[in-house]
């Protein structure tokens, strides 16, 4: 199936719920259809301005997009290898990620449960390396299948070549960003319980409950529901900013002034990650409104559309937040959301 729409509304294609239009919206539900899309004359006219979109849960359309929005609907969850310890599963890029987590829990397979209730689709999860509660998508990835837009061949890219990092992969940067369109991902799920419960209040929230997959998933969903706004009620794209990684010396100086400043260890030597939500809250911006945009009261890392925000309200609010945090802490935070 190929669907091409001109001057398409993107309101249903972004969880901020903003009204923007794309010159061309092209959708496909299998690899052959994707090849047809790439050869289409209307798509070719904008070949230097193509954006691959999943659910639109990590994007801010700052205005109309004068290019092609490609939206894949490749579905399927398929067993491909089974051993005593693990199961390899191939998942279509257009599957909703949380449906995959639910599927894994139903099949008694471990490893995906901490990534419960993250909005978005599998292809985007592989590009963005979604993460939460001590797990990252790349912990599960065996390989990523992508269409090479030059050769029109499917390539199988092993996890080690994807250069995964904190919300990072090769697919986010040129030349790979234009070269590859993710069509499916092979993930590895474990057959034996291996829970990660060390993050924040996960363990405490599980107290009194039996430690099993279903309860871990439900606990994570409930922690998220308490902290993060439902995009169907207040448009948002999850964390708007990344948590900054700063030198330990700078962190120690800040700790002298703000003894309660939280931090997370990172792999980079001499560095530490600081929660941007905390920095924003300490900058006095909790609940701060600008036009129809607002810093979410329960988690300052999230910017919400209170109902009729203009894209510019959100862009301006994000600039206000960045400037205030810089002024107060001399730390430059940067958006996690893709701004188009
Ligand atoms: N905090 C505040 N004020 C706030 C927000 C946070 O003081 O307004 C403090 C919390 O009290 C806590 C610390 O900051 O001590 C960390 O907060 P939290 O556990 O909520 O996590 P986070 O670092 O703010 C990250 C991810 C989230 C993910 C959670 C849980 C990023 C950019 N965000 O947030 O991911 O759900 O950890 O693992 O790394 C997303 O990427 O869209 C997302 C929601």
């Amino acid at each position: 199936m190929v669907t091409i729409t001109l001057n398409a509304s993107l309101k249903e294609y972004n969880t901020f719920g903003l009204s923007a239009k794309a010159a061309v919206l092209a959708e496909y539900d299998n690899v052959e259809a994707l090849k047809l899309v790439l050869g289409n004359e209307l798509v070719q006219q904008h070949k230097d301005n193509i954006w691959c979109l999943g659910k639109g849960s990590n994007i801010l359309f700052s205005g109309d997009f004068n290019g092609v929005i490609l939206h894949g609907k490749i579905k399927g969850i398929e067993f491909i290898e089974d051993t005593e310890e693990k199961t390899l599963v191939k998942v279509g890029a257009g599957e909703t990620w949380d449906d995959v987590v639910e599927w894994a829990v139903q099949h008694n397979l471990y490893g995906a449960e901490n990534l419960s209730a993250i909005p978005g689709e599998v292809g985007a999860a592989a590009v963005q390396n979604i993460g939460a509660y001590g797990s990252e998508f790349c912990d599960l990835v065996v390989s990523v299948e992508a269409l090479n837009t030059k050769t029109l061949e499917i390539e199988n890219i092993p996890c080690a070549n994807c250069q995964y990092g904190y919300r990072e992969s090769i697919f986010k940067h040129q030349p790979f960003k234009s070269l590859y369109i993710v069509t499916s991902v092979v993930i590895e799920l474990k057959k034996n319980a291996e829970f990660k419960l060390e993050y924040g209040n996960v363990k405490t929230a599980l107290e009194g409950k039996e430690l099993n997959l279903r309860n871990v998933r439900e606990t994570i969903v409930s922690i998220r529901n308490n902290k993060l706004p439902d995009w169907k009620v207040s448009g948002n794209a999850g964390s708007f900013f990344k948590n900054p990684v700063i030198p330990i010396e700078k962190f120690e100086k800040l700790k002298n002034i703000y003894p309660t400043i939280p931090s997370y260890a990172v792999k980079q030597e001499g560095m530490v990650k600081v929660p941007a939500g905390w920095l924003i809250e300490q900058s006095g911006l909790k609940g701060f409104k600008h036009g129809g945009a607002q810093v979410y009261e329960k988690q300052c890392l999230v910017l919400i559309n209170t109902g009729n925000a203009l894209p510019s309200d959100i862009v301006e609010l994000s600039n206000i937040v960045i400037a205030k945090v810089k002024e107060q802490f001399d730390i430059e935070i940067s958006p996690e959301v893709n701004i188009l």
Side-chain angles (χ1 to χ4, degrees):
M1 183 248 5
V2 171
T3 315
I4 306 246
T5 315
L6 299 183
N7 201 22
S9 165
L10 296 172
K11 198 168 166 64
E12 301 297 322
Y13 290 79
N14 71 102
T15 58
F16 261 120
L18 297 171
S19 299
K21 287 189 165 175
V24 181
L25 170 68
E27 296 184 281
Y28 55 90
D29 63 0
N30 61 66
V31 171
E32 289 313 308
L34 170 57
K35 291 181 190 171
L36 285 178
V37 163
L38 294 178
N40 179 283
E41 202 182 312
L42 291 163
V43 172
Q44 278 292 318
Q45 280 170 13
H46 296 277
K47 66 179 179 355
D48 297 324
N49 201 13
I50 295 181
W51 186 272
C52 296
L53 192 71
K55 175 72 196 155
S57 54
N58 203 42
I59 199 148
L60 172 61
F61 290 112
S62 62
D64 290 343
F65 183 63
N66 188 26
V68 177
I69 294 291
L70 270 188
H71 180 228
K73 293 180 166 178
I74 299 177
K75 300 278 185 193
I77 306 179
E78 193 188 326
F79 284 104
I80 56 169
E81 202 183 307
D82 208 34
T83 68
E84 239 171 68
E85 295 96 48
K86 60 186 189 197
T87 295
L88 299 196
V89 184
K90 181 174 167 178
V91 189
E95 283 288 345
T96 297
W97 168 245
D98 194 54
D99 292 349
V100 181
V101 181
E102 175 56 30
W103 179 94
V105 171
Q106 281 176 11
H107 287 79
N108 239 353
L109 294 167
Y110 298 80
E113 60 281 358
N114 285 30
L115 302 178
S116 285
I118 299 184
E121 295 170 359
V122 168
V127 171
Q128 174 70 5
N129 191 21
I130 56 171
Y133 306 100
S135 293
E136 282 188 312
F137 190 73
C138 65
D139 303 337
L140 307 173
V141 174
V142 174
S143 60
V144 175
E145 276 190 13
L147 185 77
N148 180 316
T149 56
K150 288 223 167 84
T151 63
L152 293 189
E153 301 279 343
I154 287 286
E155 286 186 29
N156 193 286
I157 305 151
C159 180
N161 293 358
C162 298
Q163 291 179 22
Y164 280 122
Y166 170 54
R167 305 291 193 273
E168 277 296 346
S169 76
I170 55 165
F171 307 108
K172 288 182 76 168
H173 305 285
Q174 298 297 6
F176 303 106
K177 189 173 168 170
S178 302
L179 189 63
Y180 289 129
I181 297 170
V182 177
T183 52
S184 65
V185 183
V186 177
I187 58 172
E188 178 182 302
L189 297 164
K190 302 268 191 308
K191 290 201 173 161
N192 299 309
E194 249 179 62
F195 292 115
K196 286 187 185 167
L197 309 174
E198 299 311 316
Y199 187 95
N201 62 340
V202 177
K203 224 185 228 166
T204 329
L206 266 161
E207 265 167 26
K209 291 186 198 158
E210 193 190 320
L211 185 58
N212 60 35
L213 257 183
R214 175 61 61 194
N215 282 343
V216 173
R217 169 160 165 79
E218 280 177 6
T219 299
I220 299 279
V221 170
S222 132
I223 295 174
R224 287 186 71 94
N225 286 347
N226 283 331
K227 273 197 176 179
L228 298 166
D230 179 353
W231 61 267
K232 290 175 197 131
V233 181
S234 310
N236 73 88
S239 302
F240 195 91
F241 303 98
K242 282 193 196 182
N243 287 331
V245 176
I246 61 170
I248 284 178
E249 301 86 70
K250 184 162 188 169
F251 175 73
E252 293 301 339
K253 278 188 197 149
L254 284 172
K255 206 166 166 63
N256 286 333
I257 312 169
Y258 309 94
T260 60
I261 184 170
S263 65
Y264 314 111
V266 288
K267 283 181 196 133
Q268 291 149 277
E269 216 173 297
M271 305 294 273
V272 70
K273 200 195 273 182
V274 181
W278 186 92
L279 298 171
I280 298 166
E281 183 170 343
Q282 298 302 313
S283 305
L285 290 171
K286 184 175 173 159
F288 181 83
K289 276 189 185 161
H290 177 78
Q294 187 177 18
V295 175
Y296 190 57
E297 295 221 311
K298 291 194 208 164
Q299 165 52 290
C300 296
L301 196 51
V302 180
L303 303 186
I304 61 169
N305 174 358
T306 59
N308 43 18
L310 300 170
S312 56
D313 293 343
I314 297 169
V315 173
E316 284 162 20
L317 177 58
S318 85
N319 289 333
I320 292 170
V321 170
I322 292 168
K324 197 81 210 295
V325 169
K326 173 85 180 150
E327 181 192 313
Q328 178 137 350
F329 295 100
D330 191 29
I331 293 177
E332 200 126 352
I333 56 170
S334 57
E336 193 225 333
V337 163
N338 295 296
I339 302 176
L340 265 198

